[in-house]
Amino acid sequence: MKWEDVALSSSIIIVLTLLTPYLDKIGFSFWLKTVCGTAVLFSIIYIVLPKIKFLQKSVTKKVGWLSMISILIFVLILGDLIN
């Protein structure tokens, strides 16, 4: 497992948790929210993450899963505080 995998799953969690309520407040339709979320995710996956050198390093599965779970909990709590 690489740090890139951890960052990928974290970015998916962040985009789905925090971007959707923001787009609801603006008044975007379901299809436009889907297109925006997909565009943001693909830009993160194919443009941003491969360029960061630190994320290319290996990490043990235990540390990777613990990092993903802690980021999930933090983002869900932050999403509840924002809404």
Side-chain angles (χ1 to χ4, degrees):
M1 177 179 267
K2 291 183 184 178
W3 278 112
E4 185 177 8
D5 299 330
V6 175
L8 173 67
S9 62
S10 302
S11 63
I12 291 171
I13 292 167
I14 290 169
V15 167
L16 293 178
T17 304
L18 300 179
L19 184 66
T20 306
Y22 176 73
L23 294 177
D24 281 339
K25 288 180 185 178
I26 294 176
F28 279 20
S29 67
F30 172 74
W31 298 110
L32 198 53
K33 285 192 294 187
T34 305
V35 169
C36 286
T38 306
V40 168
L41 284 177
F42 278 125
S43 66
I44 289 171
I45 292 168
Y46 293 112
I47 297 172
V48 176
L49 292 181
K51 304 266 188 227
I52 301 173
K53 299 283 185 198
F54 172 76
L55 297 178
Q56 305 305 320
K57 294 180 182 178
S58 294
V59 66
T60 63
K61 286 188 177 188
K62 185 176 182 179
V63 172
W65 278 106
L66 287 174
S67 300
M68 285 191 280
I69 291 170
S70 62
I71 290 170
L72 171 69
I73 292 169
F74 177 73
V75 168
L76 290 175
I77 291 171
L78 183 65
D80 284 340
L81 291 176
I82 291 174
N83 294 330

